[in-house]
Amino acid sequence: MTNEQLIHRPDSPPPRHGSPSGGDHLLFLAEALRTFHDTGALAPSGPELVNALVVPVTSRPNRPISVLEVGAGTGVVTRRLVQVLRPGDRLHVVEANPRFADRLREDPVLAARHPAVGLRLSACRVEELPRRRPSTPLPAPTETGAQTEAGTGTGTDTATAEHGERYDAIVSGLPFTNFRPAQVREILDLYLRLLTPGGELTYFGYLGTATARTLTSGPRRGARHRAVVRLLRRFEASYGLGERTVWRNLPPARAHLLRSPGGRETWTGSGPTTRDDTASEPTGAPAPAAR
C-alpha cells in the first residue's frame, strides 16, 4: 500500500473531456468481472451522475477546501473534481484496487491539473486510513515544487494519521450493498469523523435493484442487500439534505447529499425507515453500473 502525491506535469496534454476513454471502460469491465464485490459496477458513471456527485465542490465556500474521494475507479469523478477545484484546494483519492490506482497515476488529465491544486493518492481501503502506522515520506521535488511520497506496505497517510486531517467534502463511490451491514456502518461512522463540522457527503444508488439482487444472488444475499439499504435510509434520515434522480444513467441512479452536523458519530443506526427501502439502492447490484 502506498500514499503519494501525484505530480503535476505541465507538459501533459490538456483535458479534452471529463468522460472516460474507451480504455477506461475496458479496464473497468475487466475489473468488474474479476472482482465485482469490490468494484460493484460494470461501467463508470455518466456525466450527469458525476455532476450530481461533485455538488459539494461546485457549491462551496469562498476559501480553499479539502476533498476526499473514496472508490475512484478509473477516475471519471476524479477528473471532474480536478477541473472544478481551485488553487489552494486539496484532493485526497483513496482507491484499493491496484490496477485502478495505476491508471490514476498515469492519467493525463490529473497530471495536467492546476499546479496549485494538491492531489494525493492512497492505495488502500478507506477503513485503513486511521489505523495505519506513519510512514517516512520520500520527497522528490518537481519543477513546480510538488512532491511524491512513497510509503511502505504498513504505511499511512501522514496528514490524516498524524495531523488529524478532516475534509470539507467526501465523494463516495463504494458499492455499499456488496458489503456486510456492519462494514457499511463502520465506513459511514468513519465518514462522519473525517468530515469537518458542516462538511458534506455524496454517494449514489441504483433504482430498484433489490429484486435483481435476490433473483441473481439468492435470498440470503438479497436479505443482506435490503439490510444495507435500510441502514442507509436511517443515515439519510439523520443527515440528508436532498437527493437527485439521474434518469440518463445506465442504470438510472439516485445521488444523495448529506451534511455532518459536527463531524462526530451521533446517529443511532436503528429505527424506522423514512421511505420505501427499495426505491434507491446503493451501488453494488449486478447490473451495468456507474462509479
Side-chain angles (χ1 to χ4, degrees):
M1 290 177 246
T2 61
N3 299 276
E4 56 200 279
Q5 292 195 15
L6 301 189
I7 302 171
H8 165 73
R9 295 195 296 268
D11 56 342
S12 297
R16 290 174 295 179
H17 300 285
S19 60
S21 66
D24 282 353
H25 280 287
L26 292 176
L27 174 61
F28 206 106
L29 178 60
E31 291 304 296
L33 296 176
R34 190 179 69 87
T35 59
F36 188 81
H37 176 273
D38 294 321
T39 305
L42 298 179
S45 302
E48 291 189 19
L49 180 55
V50 169
N51 286 336
L53 292 171
V54 303
V55 161
V57 180
T58 55
S59 301
R60 51 169 292 164
N62 189 25
R63 59 170 174 79
I65 61 173
S66 181
V67 180
L68 175 68
E69 183 190 5
V70 182
T74 55
V76 60
V77 175
T78 318
R79 288 188 286 270
R80 180 63 180 146
L81 285 170
V82 299
Q83 290 169 352
V84 298
L85 287 172
R86 303 172 187 170
D89 293 342
R90 300 189 310 274
L91 173 60
H92 184 184
V93 179
V94 176
E95 175 51 61
N97 184 304
R99 293 174 177 83
F100 288 156
D102 286 343
R103 177 58 60 89
L104 293 169
R105 293 184 184 99
E106 301 168 356
D107 192 293
V109 176
L110 303 185
R113 70 189 184 280
H114 193 286
V117 172
L119 178 57
R120 190 166 75 256
L121 171 66
S122 291
C124 67
R125 296 183 181 277
V126 68
E127 304 98 303
E128 299 174 38
L129 285 180
R131 297 197 294 260
R132 294 161 66 196
R133 296 195 302 271
S135 61
T136 302
L138 302 176
T142 68
E143 310 135 347
T144 59
Q147 293 183 334
T148 300
E149 295 179 1
T152 64
T154 58
T156 186
D157 177 89
T158 55
T160 299
E162 297 179 311
H163 306 296
E165 180 177 2
R166 295 166 79 181
Y167 302 92
D168 299 290
I170 297 177
V171 179
S172 179
L174 294 181
F176 285 132
T177 54
N178 282 4
F179 302 158
R180 294 173 291 103
Q183 183 181 7
V184 175
R185 173 63 190 257
E186 178 186 3
I187 294 171
L188 295 177
D189 288 347
L190 175 60
Y191 285 168
L192 288 177
R193 294 197 301 272
L194 291 175
L195 282 169
T196 60
E200 294 182 350
L201 163 68
T202 57
Y203 55 77
F204 69 96
Y206 304 126
L207 303 184
T209 55
T211 301
R213 169 73 73 178
T214 300
L215 292 175
T216 58
S217 302
R220 184 175 179 179
R221 291 189 177 181
R224 185 188 67 184
H225 182 111
R226 290 189 294 273
V228 170
V229 172
R230 288 193 294 270
L231 181 68
L232 288 167
R233 295 298 86 87
R234 293 191 291 269
F235 188 69
E236 291 152 16
S238 297
Y239 300 109
L241 289 178
E243 58 189 38
R244 175 183 170 187
T245 301
V246 183
W247 296 106
R248 295 177 62 182
N249 196 75
L250 186 63
R254 179 170 288 129
H256 298 272
L257 174 65
L258 306 96
R259 176 176 293 159
S260 169
R264 294 184 179 180
E265 188 275 318
T266 56
W267 66 302
T268 63
S270 61
T273 58
T274 57
R275 59 184 174 83
D276 182 3
D277 291 336
T278 62
S280 169
E281 313 293 350
T283 57
R291 176 177 163 200

